[in-house]
Amino acid sequence: MARPRGARQRQRGEIHTLPSGSLRVRVYAGIDALSGKRNYLVETVPAGPKARAEAEKVRTRFINQVDEQRNPRTKATVNQLMDRYLELLDVEVTTWQRYEQTIRCHIRPLLGHLPVARLDGETLDSHQAVLRRCRDHCDGRKAVQHAVDDPHECTEACRPHVCKPLATSSVRKVHYCLSGALSRAVRWRWITVNPLDQAEPPRGARSEPDPPTPEQAAAILNMAFREAWWGTFLWLAMTTGARRGELCALRWDRIDLDRAVITIGTSIAQHNTTTWEKDTKTHQQRRIALDADTVALLRAYRAQCDADATTLGITLAADARVFSGAVDGSTWRRPSSVGNRYVRMCKKLGWDMHLHQLRHYSATELITSGVDVRTVAGRLGHGGGGSTTFRAYTAWVAEADQRAMQTGVRMPATPRIIQGQQSSTIKPMAVPRPHSDNSPYRKIAADLQGAIACGALKIGDTLPTILELQNSYSVSAGTANRAVALLKDNGLVEVERGRRARVTPRDQWKSF
């Protein structure tokens, strides 16, 4: 029906005069997507001679936004957005817990009360600046950091607060959480524009792995091998680069000693004191080749586990855990327990180290020995076709041209499990002290000594021929002969004219 001539069209939106003289503009924008209530776009124009004209401009802008569906559909706060985001987030339990902790500690206290529609680039840049200034969000306020929260009389433990910036990696985690939540808010049409696009992203975190040196690794293993399982655990961490949760989940039926292959298929996750078995971090199974030293060590360790079980009248099941607190291998060890034990052991040696650095050790030794990054990534279980590996360990790639070594992880001599003693004890092998000349023949002799110590070369076995040593190490016949002569001088081998060198009984061995 046509509108009667002279009839007045109803005006959209309202302009109200407030007691202060300011004008409040309000335009209906549909039903709130979250609360189900009526949603209005509201803005206040300060009083002044041009306030009425300015209010009309604001009303027209609001109407255009509603017509073009560019207006926010809700007045939800950042807290409400984060609640909804965490509710719908489909990730691993441990990942969800890290997201929740980041949001609870660094997003809700500073941004939680703000409406999502009010976020802009300046607000988000200011939020990031606060985190870079102080992880406690003190914003420069002077305060006392008390030892306890309850009422008390202050002691020396209560000290003035010192600002410590949040680590760059943690600032990036905050950015990831905001990015994920705000991207969904745009998709849900809570907002029309992602404010993070207007903010400056945090700078990239520099990866600076700090693996132990070979000398430190030798000292760590010598102390760890006072217990068979603990020494074997750390040895595998060094040679395979497996994560601690993956080693805790390892079963005997996943180790093929005949083919010298270990299969990593699951991992142990932990939250507080609760543990459970899950897929690996990349949700992929991987097979890792083992060297002869590691195979010999695992055979000896398996023999001890069988002996312990037989003493109690138990037979180890095929799927028993390799590292277990139970004799029958029915339980796994907690990742936090092995991690804390490693930290305490390193402190006794005078070093501040953590277990993940052994993963760095494996990666950097492989890279500097010339192994291609994709192969290293496959052993470590890194995704991205090796990009993660290269980015994290690129500082060591340049050393590949400076260090000549046999391909593989450079490990100290394998400690030998003493037969006839309690299975939980191990006598560490003396690791040769490094020589300043770094002569090739000493390198060959040290490698052969390691093979003898771990049982790869047994008593009475013959050493590789001089020609084989020449080809393996790219040295002259004189250098190879000098390496064998050094082993002979230290009683490890016996040499007769016309016959190959043979390994002597242990009681004749000396240290270098």
Side-chain angles (χ1 to χ4, degrees):
M1 180 177 178
R3 183 181 301 276
R5 180 172 301 202
R8 183 178 179 183
Q9 184 178 1
R10 183 180 177 184
Q11 179 176 328
R12 293 174 62 187
E14 302 171 345
I15 301 178
H16 297 288
T17 303
L18 301 178
S20 62
S22 300
L23 301 179
R24 184 175 64 189
V25 184
R26 191 175 75 155
V27 174
Y28 175 68
I31 302 298
D32 192 301
L34 188 64
S35 65
K37 298 180 180 179
R38 294 170 66 88
N39 183 27
Y40 290 91
L41 303 181
V42 181
E43 185 174 324
T44 301
V45 178
K50 298 183 179 180
R52 175 62 60 175
E54 196 65 35
E56 287 292 344
K57 291 181 181 179
V58 172
R59 186 178 68 84
T60 303
R61 172 162 53 85
F62 282 168
I63 292 173
N64 290 334
Q65 287 181 5
V66 173
D67 291 342
E68 297 171 7
Q69 296 185 350
R70 292 186 291 107
N71 62 292
R73 296 182 57 205
T74 179
K75 294 182 179 179
T77 63
V78 173
N79 274 336
Q80 291 173 302
L81 173 61
M82 292 302 166
D83 290 339
R84 187 63 172 160
Y85 173 63
L86 291 173
E87 179 185 348
L88 301 178
L89 190 61
D90 182 20
V91 292
E92 289 282 350
V93 175
T94 50
T95 304
W96 188 94
Q97 290 161 350
R98 288 195 294 269
Y99 275 51
E100 191 279 331
Q101 182 182 26
T102 300
I103 291 170
R104 170 167 39 87
C105 295
H106 301 298
I107 295 179
R108 293 188 189 273
L110 298 174
L111 302 176
H113 64 285
L114 295 177
V116 179
R118 296 287 298 275
L119 291 180
D120 54 24
E122 181 183 2
T123 302
L124 295 173
D125 283 344
S126 299
H127 172 246
Q128 191 180 129
V130 171
L131 299 181
R132 291 198 302 266
R133 252 192 321 268
C134 180
R135 65 183 62 189
D136 293 328
H137 322 143
C138 72
D139 203 20
R141 296 187 299 271
K142 295 182 179 180
V144 175
Q145 195 163 356
H146 295 282
V148 295
D149 295 330
D150 299 330
H152 65 283
E153 292 187 7
C154 290
T155 62
E156 293 181 356
C158 301
R159 301 176 180 178
H161 168 71
V162 178
C163 291
K164 295 181 180 179
L166 194 63
T168 302
S169 58
S170 298
V171 174
R172 290 179 66 84
K173 288 179 183 178
V174 174
H175 181 81
Y176 295 152
C177 292
L178 284 170
S179 177
L182 291 172
S183 296
R184 294 198 179 196
V186 173
R187 194 165 66 249
W188 298 334
R189 293 185 57 195
W190 288 21
I191 52 179
T192 56
V193 177
N194 190 336
L196 269 184
D197 295 339
Q198 306 163 7
E200 184 175 350
R203 67 178 184 271
R206 293 184 60 186
S207 180
E208 298 180 353
D210 186 22
T213 64
E215 291 74 23
Q216 289 174 324
I220 289 169
L221 287 176
N222 277 333
M223 177 173 282
F225 266 106
R226 295 173 183 176
E227 287 189 66
W229 81 266
W230 182 229
T232 306
F233 186 99
L234 296 187
W235 180 276
L236 282 182
M238 289 184 186
T239 54
T240 65
R243 302 174 178 90
R244 64 178 185 177
E246 294 170 344
L247 292 176
C248 289
L250 189 60
R251 303 174 184 266
W252 281 113
D253 59 358
R254 292 285 184 167
I255 301 178
D256 190 339
L257 296 178
D258 295 330
R259 293 182 174 84
V261 171
I262 183 173
T263 303
I264 303 292
T266 60
S267 178
I268 302 301
Q270 179 173 354
H271 177 60
N272 295 331
T273 59
T274 304
T275 59
W276 65 95
E277 190 169 11
K278 67 177 187 68
D279 289 341
T280 60
K281 187 174 182 179
T282 55
H283 306 285
Q284 292 181 344
Q285 177 176 281
R286 66 186 190 275
R287 291 164 59 86
I288 302 175
L290 304 176
D291 60 278
D293 290 356
T294 303
V295 171
L297 183 62
L298 285 172
R299 288 189 189 278
Y301 176 60
R302 176 58 193 256
Q304 288 199 351
C305 291
D306 287 333
D308 286 346
T310 302
T311 302
L312 299 178
I314 301 172
T315 301
L316 281 182
D319 61 348
R321 304 287 175 179
V322 177
F323 304 108
S324 173
V327 177
D328 62 355
S330 58
T331 61
W332 55 64
R333 292 187 181 272
R334 289 194 292 186
S336 64
S337 298
V338 296
N340 293 336
R341 176 171 182 166
Y342 182 81
V343 170
R344 292 194 300 268
M345 185 182 71
C346 289
K347 281 186 177 179
K348 291 181 181 179
L349 293 171
W351 303 317
D352 182 15
M353 294 184 177
H354 53 82
L355 188 57
H356 195 76
Q357 287 173 306
L358 297 187
R359 186 167 161 85
H360 296 168
Y361 180 86
S362 178
T364 54
E365 288 299 322
L366 288 169
I367 289 177
T368 53
S369 65
V371 180
D372 66 278
V373 175
R374 290 183 66 89
T375 300
V376 178
R379 289 179 65 89
L380 298 181
H382 279 163
S387 61
T388 302
T389 311
F390 189 84
R391 184 173 62 251
Y393 304 106
T394 186
W396 275 265
V397 175
E399 296 182 21
D401 296 331
Q402 304 171 13
R403 291 169 48 187
M405 59 172 288
Q406 185 180 10
T407 298
V409 179
R410 182 178 50 175
M411 296 293 293
T414 314
R416 179 176 180 272
I417 299 177
I418 302 301
Q419 304 297 331
Q421 298 184 6
Q422 292 182 358
S423 61
S424 61
T425 62
I426 282 187
K427 181 179 179 181
M429 277 292 297
V431 178
R433 294 182 180 179
H435 293 266
S436 58
D437 59 0
N438 237 352
S439 302
Y441 81 93
R442 291 191 180 277
K443 170 73 169 66
I444 299 172
D447 288 351
L448 291 174
Q449 186 203 27
I452 295 170
C454 74
L457 290 175
K458 300 180 176 60
I459 297 174
D461 286 354
T462 57
L463 295 188
T465 65
I466 297 300
L467 182 59
E468 290 172 341
L469 292 176
Q470 283 183 254
N471 295 334
S472 297
Y473 290 89
S474 300
V475 296
S476 66
T479 300
N481 276 307
R482 193 175 180 186
V484 175
L486 182 59
L487 294 175
K488 178 186 175 183
D489 292 342
N490 288 278
L492 275 71
V493 300
E494 57 184 3
V495 181
E496 298 179 10
R497 181 178 296 275
R499 300 181 63 182
R500 291 168 59 181
R502 294 180 178 275
V503 179
T504 60
R506 185 182 178 87
D507 55 9
Q508 300 181 27
W509 296 1
K510 306 173 186 177
S511 60
F512 278 40

